Amino acid sequence: MRCCRPLGCACLVLLLICGGAAADDKLPRWQFRMSFAKEVRAEPFSGRVVLYLSQSRSQPRERLSWFNPEILIGRDVTNWMPGESLVIDSHAPAEVTTCPKPLDQLNLGGWKGQAVVRFSSWERKVGDGAGNGFSPTVVVPSEAGTIDLPITQLIPERKFPENDWCKQLRVRSKLLSDFHKQDVFLQAAVLLPASYQKQPDRKFPVLFTIPGFGGTHFDGARRGPVNEKNAGGVEFMRVLLDPSCPRGHHVFADSANNGPFGSALVQELIPELDKQFRTDARPQARFLTGHSSGGWSSLWLMVSHPDDFAGTWSTSPDPVDFRDFQRINLYAAGENMYSDRAGERRPIARRGQQVALWYRDFDVMEEALGIGGQLHSFEAVFSPRGSDGKPVRVWDRNSGTVNTEATKAWEVYDIRLVLERNWPTLGPKLRGKLHVHMGDLDTFYLEGATRLLGESLKKLDSDAVVEMHAGHDHGSLLSPQLMGRLQAEMVAKYLSAK
């Protein structure tokens, strides 16, 4: 689905995949014509172009829902020149990715269309990613014709709202800059405790929180201090880390495609945090937590850097055992991401017991948007880099067939396997440090992998806490009661180490 040939003419027609179905000749034939002026971008552009079509959103590019993405058309282009026209023709098949159906099978009269050009190579987000170009929204007419979508604006950079209690920590990483051959910065929101200003000689333990997929350090912005209420009188300095990178959520793992994000955190950001703020810089005063992809990240950091943190309290982590990767055994021959052994469609999300999203549909949406989605994130972290410079793909995007030779490389990130294979060394270092909580009705079918991890840790005679919470899903797990319990456990842990 990629195109490597340059735009050698003034007008390039982008044609749509029809999945073998013939175009409906009764529907009007629309052409969506895009261009950008030198004032918007002076250099030729190579990368992703995405056309958003919506019936409900005034800005189709914004607030894209996993569960209702409406219509997306994505395409990679090479050397698109300022002033050149780029055309998507609704009645001609070719090398683009569409979601959820081929455009030539839909009557788009009355729909709103908007084009986005992914000018920013470092920005994960597409529709609202800083530095990307976008067009005005245009209503598609009921009659055939050409719809102009000129790229006239750039999404502005977002400024972190600092104040006396909330600071941005931004650290240039030499490790990552050398890897990517450009300046790369680690970022975090630092939330100061209520006593920070009043007690200038006091040092504070640090609670590192890692957001789930789509979250950033901006989510930690607040106007006042965190008022801790606990029996021990412990106040944490809270640090909300930014886990985003061009290929999605880097989960603070060192990887062949994203670079050494885990090492950069431990060797570069944390020392700078200790330098700029009054932290209790002992490893036994550093605590980890996170939810979803952040839950996996916090658990991985604890396992991969066992001497640097006091413990992790991870909730609803992404798959921690690849024998149950959202109900798929990535190591078993004959597995398929899109259908089970009985040939039934695989779900990827549910609400209660009702399927809310199918694996293939979700994958098609991500393919239309290009790199940076949740499934792309997994491959970017866990896969080696291929001969084309991109992460090796673990499943075929047409058939869904799993390549078990490729999944062998994923074993080094399979947390259950890492623990089993290295338990003589890791076991003593992780005593009292592993706490994992999961709802047994997880929205994204993550409970199976956590259950397998718990069984493995029991066999290893670990004191790890792996708890399944009956009746809870991905969101409802984070109840005030559970959050209060986890904080109380961190407080007790810290007090025991003083």
Side-chain angles (χ1 to χ4, degrees):
M1 295 184 186
R2 304 178 203 32
C3 177
C4 299
R5 54 190 175 83
L7 302 177
C9 60
C11 179
L12 177 69
V13 178
L14 303 186
L15 310 175
L16 305 184
I17 292 177
C18 290
D24 186 344
D25 293 331
K26 295 179 182 179
L27 293 177
R29 181 168 186 165
W30 294 284
Q31 290 187 332
F32 298 90
R33 183 168 58 195
M34 293 160 282
S35 63
F36 63 93
K38 289 184 178 180
E39 291 75 17
V40 174
R41 179 186 172 95
E43 304 82 18
F45 171 70
S46 296
R48 197 72 170 176
V49 178
V50 180
L51 176 60
Y52 294 75
L53 291 155
S54 173
Q55 290 181 315
S56 59
R57 302 189 303 276
S58 59
Q59 293 274 326
R61 66 183 176 84
E62 294 182 341
R63 296 182 296 278
L64 180 69
S65 168
W66 277 2
F67 299 95
N68 183 29
E70 298 192 89
I71 296 175
L72 299 167
I73 303 101
R75 172 67 192 269
D76 287 334
V77 297
T78 305
N79 292 330
W80 183 17
M81 303 296 292
E84 279 189 337
S85 292
L86 188 67
V87 177
I88 292 178
D89 188 318
S90 68
H91 271 53
E95 296 175 334
V96 301
T97 308
T98 66
C99 165
K101 297 179 180 179
L103 190 57
D104 62 358
Q105 298 177 20
L106 297 170
N107 189 337
L108 300 179
W111 284 61
K112 294 180 282 288
Q114 191 172 30
V116 175
V117 183
R118 209 165 183 173
F119 286 145
S120 178
S121 62
W122 192 257
E123 176 57 59
R124 181 194 69 79
K125 296 182 179 179
V126 184
D128 57 353
N132 290 344
F134 66 97
S135 75
T137 299
V138 175
V139 177
V140 179
S142 58
E143 302 297 326
T146 298
I147 299 111
D148 282 314
L149 295 169
I151 307 302
T152 57
Q153 298 184 65
L154 298 177
I155 300 166
E157 293 287 339
R158 189 177 178 187
K159 186 177 180 181
F160 190 84
E162 285 194 315
N163 54 59
D164 289 343
W165 301 104
C166 183
K167 304 294 182 181
Q168 177 177 231
L169 178 63
R170 192 167 186 263
V171 179
R172 181 186 182 277
S173 166
K174 184 178 186 305
L175 290 172
L176 292 167
S177 298
D178 289 348
F179 180 90
H180 290 283
K181 297 180 173 54
Q182 68 177 77
D183 285 340
V184 177
F185 293 84
L186 295 171
Q187 301 184 103
V190 181
L191 311 181
L192 301 178
S195 298
Y196 195 83
Q197 314 290 359
K198 299 176 183 178
Q199 301 180 29
D201 295 327
R202 183 176 175 183
K203 294 185 177 182
F204 298 85
V206 180
L207 173 56
F208 294 93
T209 300
I210 305 170
F213 186 85
T216 73
H217 65 302
F218 280 96
D219 300 330
R222 58 182 295 143
R223 295 182 178 179
V226 177
N227 292 303
E228 307 274 8
K229 294 181 180 179
N230 58 74
V234 175
E235 292 182 82
F236 290 96
M237 184 180 299
R238 296 169 183 263
V239 177
L240 187 68
L241 299 169
D242 179 11
S244 58
C245 68
R247 294 190 177 276
H249 194 300
H250 55 63
V251 299
F252 289 98
D254 293 354
S255 72
N257 299 290
N258 294 331
F261 272 98
S263 295
L265 171 70
V266 173
Q267 298 176 27
E268 296 174 324
L269 185 137
I270 289 178
E272 190 61 28
L273 174 74
D274 294 338
K275 180 180 178 182
Q276 292 190 28
F277 297 91
R278 295 198 317 275
T279 65
D280 182 340
R282 299 174 302 154
Q284 53 265 44
R286 298 188 196 124
F287 298 81
L288 291 164
T289 189
H291 187 71
S292 194
S293 292
W296 194 97
S297 308
S298 54
L299 188 56
W300 176 257
L301 279 171
M302 190 69 260
V303 171
S304 58
H305 298 272
D307 298 321
D308 294 298
F309 300 97
T312 185
W313 283 256
S314 306
T315 58
S316 300
D318 286 345
V320 292
D321 185 328
F322 296 162
R323 295 174 301 175
D324 192 328
F325 195 88
Q326 296 172 293
R327 297 190 169 180
I328 303 164
N329 186 345
L330 293 180
Y331 303 134
E335 282 286 70
N336 190 290
M337 303 297 279
Y338 300 153
S339 58
D340 62 22
R341 298 277 173 165
E344 298 294 325
R345 286 193 296 172
R346 284 195 190 276
I348 195 173
R350 62 184 169 183
R351 292 188 177 99
Q353 297 292 354
Q354 184 70 35
V355 173
L357 189 61
W358 301 101
Y359 215 107
R360 183 174 194 141
D361 293 344
F362 184 71
D363 203 5
V364 168
M365 179 198 70
E366 289 205 346
E367 288 295 294
L369 290 170
I371 66 169
Q374 177 68 83
L375 302 182
H376 288 107
S377 288
F378 292 142
E379 286 180 321
V381 175
F382 305 144
S383 289
R385 182 178 293 192
S387 58
D388 59 358
K390 300 175 183 178
V392 171
R393 296 209 141 181
V394 160
W395 67 93
D396 185 277
R397 284 333 197 256
N398 292 316
S399 67
T401 301
V402 174
N403 180 351
T404 52
E405 285 300 312
T407 59
K408 286 287 292 182
W410 285 32
E411 290 183 359
V412 295
Y413 297 100
D414 184 323
I415 291 178
R416 186 267 312 176
L417 266 181
V418 170
L419 289 169
E420 287 182 354
R421 291 173 174 176
N422 299 280
W423 193 247
T425 301
L426 287 177
K429 294 183 177 184
L430 292 175
R431 189 172 295 115
K433 294 184 176 183
L434 299 180
H435 311 80
V436 184
H437 295 266
M438 173 69 74
D440 70 350
L441 287 175
D442 185 79
T443 307
F444 301 103
Y445 302 96
L446 299 171
E447 73 279 359
T450 296
R451 191 174 284 114
L452 289 175
L453 175 66
E455 293 171 0
S456 174
L457 286 167
K458 280 185 179 179
K459 291 178 182 177
L460 292 170
D461 198 26
S462 168
D463 65 355
V465 175
V466 180
E467 248 181 69
M468 308 300 296
H469 296 256
H472 286 280
D473 62 20
H474 206 68
S476 68
L477 175 70
L478 295 175
S479 65
Q481 294 76 19
L482 179 61
M483 298 303 289
R485 172 190 158 185
L486 302 190
Q487 183 178 11
E489 292 174 359
M490 294 179 200
V491 167
K493 180 82 171 179
Y494 179 63
L495 292 175
S496 70
K498 291 189 73 173

